[in-house]
Amino acid sequence: MPSPRHVVLPGLLCQREGRGYVLLHERLGLRMKISARAARALDSFLEPSPLPDGSHLTKAAKRDLDALLAARVLVPESEAEDWDEGPLVGVGRGPAIGAPGGLGDLQRRVSARRFVVVGAPSEQGSHTASGAQHGPSLIRERFRYFGASSAVDAGTRLLDVDGRCVYTLPPSLGTIDVGDVRRVPGEGLSAFGARLQFVVDRAVAQGFTPITLGGDHAISLFPLRALLRHHAALGILHFDAHHDHYLDPSQPGPLSHASVFALAMREAGVRKLVQLGLRTLDVIPAGHRKRSDPRIHFVTARELSRRSPREVFARLPRDLPWYLSFDVDCMAPHLARETGTRELGGIAYYQGLDLIEHAARHLDIVGADFVEVARRDERVNHAAEIVARYVLALLLAKLPRARMTSYLYA
């Protein structure tokens, strides 16, 4: 099968700087230093051309080519028009979570770097039309603090009566909401995922912690892969009613919301998978044998109800960076009806809040996603309400806070 023809991305500027060159692309937030050799190599792709056979390239040339492909300087001819428009659309309905911006803002706003929020409105990994593509906008609608309509000054204090503490906030929580990843009608999950992975990779490279709003759970594989480009090892903290290992490990299998962690465990660098809230009843197909993976540890929903957060996280390594993936169907279904695959039992609201806060305060959380919030006919989407509050808990976790002595302020 012939390799796809690649082309230099439209809108790219190449400027000489010292002995090398700098590539600039405003919509991608790209400013990339390259060698003169790499700049000359781009001339071959001003018209669509197949990639050269890697066996004939020197190590330096191969390294240059890989960097250009990773930065989306070179894209398949069929994708060029979409990437020219940029991988993102603006924040949809509802306020931004933090300050609205784009990829270019990740380089320009150099102070108080903390979080980047990106929406992944895809449900291509679901077996049915779950409504999860509406998740990012629904979560933003229920996020009550510090969006575009309510600016935050440095030193603003947030009184958390429920938590009996007062937080001192940086401007907009030090958070930039870059909007949603662009969806193209008829494209596959891998094409959408490439855009999401690119955005998350760019955010991490600029020193931000990415928070992805799904979408169905299949999207989690792409932020995880982006983070593994920057971390030699990662642990995964996975909240879910389902283990999402519904895939024969010996088979390639398609990516879906039911197989995402079977595929994630194949990624080099994943050292631990800790799953919280599991409670499914599964039929074991005839001929399947028991197998084990020492990297996987799970705590069922019933067991969680009997343990404190300190007990749940007691043996987790503190020197390992962690990726937090939260499927809202881990919650009790009477609390979060607006999701695709509800299961009896589950996590209570304060139990989930305590677990999120404890993990965020005591573990090195380098990325997170919140997925499977779906649209329903109810006037208030309770699943989105819960997720919005848990996202806020993650944003606030390591900010300065003082014990509340009074709720009376004047």
Side-chain angles (χ1 to χ4, degrees), residues 168-200:
T168 301
L169 307 177
S172 296
L173 296 177
T175 299
I176 297 176
D177 191 333
V178 294
D180 292 347
V181 173
R182 185 182 303 279
R183 289 190 301 152
V184 177
E187 72 178 352
L189 181 57
S190 60
F192 177 87
R195 275 187 223 101
L196 174 58
Q197 185 170 332
F198 173 85
V199 172
V200 173

Side-chain angles (χ1 to χ4, degrees), residues 301-381:
R302 183 183 294 186
E303 291 167 341
L304 278 180
S305 68
R306 302 167 182 166
R307 300 183 189 179
S308 69
R310 185 182 298 275
E311 292 171 319
V312 171
F313 298 122
R315 296 184 180 181
L316 270 60
R318 298 300 194 263
D319 58 347
L320 183 68
W322 290 87
Y323 182 78
L324 188 153
S325 184
F326 184 91
D327 185 333
V328 75
D329 71 23
C330 72
M331 305 299 296
H334 70 279
L335 297 175
R337 295 185 296 271
E338 305 85 0
T339 190
T341 48
R342 292 173 288 184
E343 298 283 352
L344 189 64
I347 297 176
Y349 169 73
Y350 283 118
Q351 186 183 22
L353 183 60
D354 289 344
L355 288 166
I356 293 284
E357 288 182 337
H358 191 93
R361 289 172 182 169
H362 297 283
L363 299 177
D364 180 18
I365 303 294
V366 296
D369 65 61
F370 294 83
V371 299
E372 298 288 357
V373 172
R375 173 171 286 175
R376 293 290 185 269
D377 294 332
E378 288 87 348
R379 183 174 61 85
V380 176
N381 191 300

Side-chain angles (χ1 to χ4, degrees), residues 67-141:
L68 296 174
L69 290 168
R72 292 289 171 173
V73 172
L74 292 175
V75 295
E77 183 182 14
S78 59
E79 296 182 17
E81 183 177 347
D82 299 328
W83 280 100
D84 185 35
E85 297 174 359
L88 294 167
V89 294
V91 177
R93 294 182 300 118
I97 296 179
L103 289 179
D105 294 309
L106 304 187
Q107 293 180 323
R108 289 191 287 269
R109 301 181 186 182
V110 295
S111 62
R113 293 182 179 180
R114 286 182 56 77
F115 296 97
V116 162
V117 175
V118 55
S122 170
E123 57 185 66
Q124 294 164 294
S126 296
H127 301 310
T128 59
S130 66
Q133 64 176 300
H134 304 289
S137 61
L138 291 167
I139 295 166
R140 288 187 179 104
E141 285 175 359

Side-chain angles (χ1 to χ4, degrees), residues 98-319:
L103 289 179
D105 294 309
L106 304 187
Q107 293 180 323
R108 289 191 287 269
R109 301 181 186 182
V110 295
S111 62
R113 293 182 179 180
R114 286 182 56 77
F115 296 97
V116 162
V117 175
V118 55
S122 170
E123 57 185 66
Q124 294 164 294
S126 296
H127 301 310
T128 59
S130 66
Q133 64 176 300
H134 304 289
S137 61
L138 291 167
I139 295 166
R140 288 187 179 104
E141 285 175 359
R142 305 311 301 172
F143 194 87
R144 298 182 178 182
Y145 306 97
F146 319 122
S149 61
S150 56
V152 178
D153 298 323
T156 294
R157 290 175 295 171
L158 173 65
L159 175 64
D160 181 2
V161 176
D162 207 11
R164 286 188 174 269
C165 63
V166 179
Y167 293 94
T168 301
L169 307 177
S172 296
L173 296 177
T175 299
I176 297 176
D177 191 333
V178 294
D180 292 347
V181 173
R182 185 182 303 279
R183 289 190 301 152
V184 177
E187 72 178 352
L189 181 57
S190 60
F192 177 87
R195 275 187 223 101
L196 174 58
Q197 185 170 332
F198 173 85
V199 172
V200 173
D201 178 79
R202 192 55 51 88
V204 175
Q206 294 299 324
F208 289 87
T209 299
I211 298 177
T212 305
L213 309 179
D216 69 64
H217 216 154
I219 63 96
S220 300
L221 188 61
F222 303 104
L224 182 64
R225 284 174 171 168
L227 281 159
L228 285 168
R229 285 173 49 84
H230 301 269
H231 297 276
L234 277 178
I236 303 173
L237 194 60
H238 173 209
F239 291 78
D240 208 320
H242 313 90
H243 51 70
D244 293 349
H245 273 266
Y246 297 97
L247 183 66
D248 186 332
S250 66
Q251 302 299 319
L255 170 61
S256 77
H257 68 157
S259 67
V260 59
F261 287 100
L263 296 175
M265 296 307 289
R266 299 178 184 178
E267 297 291 319
V270 175
R271 296 289 184 264
K272 296 281 186 182
L273 173 62
V274 178
Q275 299 179 295
L276 306 177
L278 304 188
R279 56 187 189 274
T280 57
L281 286 169
D282 293 335
V283 175
I284 301 174
H288 281 218
R289 297 181 179 179
K290 183 175 70 173
R291 60 186 178 87
S292 62
D293 186 331
R295 298 174 296 171
I296 299 175
H297 171 71
F298 69 95
V299 184
T300 70
R302 183 183 294 186
E303 291 167 341
L304 278 180
S305 68
R306 302 167 182 166
R307 300 183 189 179
S308 69
R310 185 182 298 275
E311 292 171 319
V312 171
F313 298 122
R315 296 184 180 181
L316 270 60
R318 298 300 194 263
D319 58 347

